[in-house]
Amino acid sequence: LTFISTTPNIPTMSFVKEASKFVRRKAHTNSQRKLQVQIGVAGSAAPRLGALPKGQAKKNSAKTVLDVDSKHFQPLGTWTSDQLNQSRAENPFAMGWGPSQSRHAVPNMTHGEGVYLFDDKGNRYLDWTSQAVCSNLGHDLPESIIEAATYQMRLLPYVYGDIGQPEVNTRMNQLMNEILPGDLRAAVYPCSGSEANEVGITMARRYTGKQKIISWYRSYHGGTSNSSAATGEHRRWMNGDSTPGFVKAFNPFPLFFKPGGNDA
């Protein structure tokens, strides 16, 4: 990244180089802080904070013939259990917000029926969470829903909401306005629970003019910046405590209140 000055007699400067010099000066002069910032230059042996372990990087470019496994061209449902397990062992990926090593032990799910999930060994699992409340209609959808989704995918898979609205969005919005209580009408249609909470926090702060958000310690609200900061349980460890404006409160203790009734 290079900035070029339009003022006469001022030379061109490299932003990256000047920023590196500034960081080194700050680290050298601030004697009260014992953090040493070491900036490694490509080709040198200087260590870097948070450097990733060394590995063989892929040298893919426009002229490179990519080495793609031919099994990718097989239809879905044709990979064997051994092929699936081998792929997970050789190609790391994140497992939600927990330790990713658990991917080696999770079952290969094949299909679902109602509230049950089935793996490639024939085991049946009762889905207590409805897949994080994303499969409330069960795991074998009615044909009407499958046909509606197929119709929309064939007609128009996606349109950016700021430039146009398909029929299904307009009809869904009207239905929500008819169902919502009171004078609730306007709605935002995000893509995930984290995004929904981000929008809720943003709207609350803009409406009230206040910044502080109070949430329970025993809670989970998502993995993005504000939603993870509102999260109170262990999954906030990645970045939840670095976002300002969030306060945690202890959950109500069930021994001191009744679950229902006039005197609850």
Side-chain angles (χ1 to χ4, degrees):
L1 177 63
T2 301
F3 287 167
I4 301 178
S5 174
T6 58
T7 306
N9 301 324
I10 297 181
T12 299
M13 68 177 181
S14 169
F15 176 75
V16 175
K17 184 182 296 184
E18 293 300 319
S20 300
K21 292 180 180 179
F22 174 79
V23 173
R24 285 197 294 267
R25 287 197 300 268
K26 290 287 290 184
H28 179 72
T29 56
N30 192 353
S31 58
Q32 295 180 350
R33 300 182 63 182
K34 297 182 180 180
L35 175 64
Q36 295 182 350
V37 179
Q38 296 176 315
I39 299 178
V41 182
S44 68
R48 294 177 296 172
L49 293 177
L52 295 174
K54 294 182 178 180
Q56 183 63 35
K58 296 180 180 179
K59 298 180 180 179
N60 292 341
S61 66
K63 298 181 180 180
T64 303
V65 178
L66 299 180
D67 184 16
V68 177
D69 195 331
S70 61
K71 293 195 297 294
H72 289 299
F73 300 98
Q74 297 177 4
L76 288 176
T78 59
W79 280 23
T80 66
S81 300
D82 291 338
Q83 288 174 330
L84 293 172
N85 295 334
Q86 181 180 356
S87 178
R88 283 205 301 271
E90 297 176 353
N91 302 279
F93 57 89
M95 293 285 293
W97 305 116
S100 295
Q101 291 292 333
S102 62
R103 71 182 186 277
H104 299 300
V106 295
N108 298 313
M109 295 300 183
T110 57
H111 64 286
E113 296 178 4
V115 297
Y116 295 102
L117 294 169
F118 295 83
D119 65 13
D120 55 357
K121 298 180 180 179
N123 297 316
R124 187 177 70 166
Y125 304 87
L126 176 59
D127 183 4
W128 287 97
T129 69
S130 187
Q131 293 306 291
V133 204
C134 293
S135 300
N136 293 329
L137 297 179
H139 294 295
D140 46 353
L141 297 177
E143 285 298 321
S144 58
I145 296 180
I146 297 175
E147 291 174 0
T150 303
Y151 170 83
Q152 189 62 47
M153 289 295 291
R154 288 175 174 167
L155 191 68
L156 182 63
Y158 178 80
V159 62
Y160 184 50
D162 288 351
I163 66 172
Q165 287 291 318
E167 177 186 354
V168 64
N169 278 23
T170 302
R171 293 175 60 168
M172 177 65 182
N173 185 67
Q174 178 180 335
L175 179 61
M176 290 295 296
N177 289 339
E178 294 169 352
I179 293 176
L180 289 173
D183 58 354
L184 294 177
R185 297 190 63 185
V188 179
Y189 298 94
C191 296
S192 67
S194 295
E195 187 179 0
N197 287 329
E198 292 280 346
V199 172
I201 292 171
T202 300
M203 293 174 65
R205 284 174 167 172
R206 185 171 182 177
Y207 181 79
T208 64
K210 301 177 181 180
Q211 297 297 309
K212 187 179 295 184
I213 304 294
I214 302 177
S215 59
W216 301 122
Y217 271 109
R218 292 182 59 187
S219 64
Y220 175 75
H221 300 289
T224 53
S225 179
N226 284 323
S227 61
S228 63
T231 293
E233 45 117 272
H234 65 279
R235 280 177 283 189
R236 78 179 191 273
W237 67 270
M238 286 187 294
N239 65 342
D241 290 334
S242 61
T243 305
F246 291 85
V247 178
K248 302 295 183 299
F250 287 103
N251 296 64
F253 194 54
L255 293 181
F256 299 113
F257 70 89
K258 295 181 179 180
N262 296 330
D263 59 346

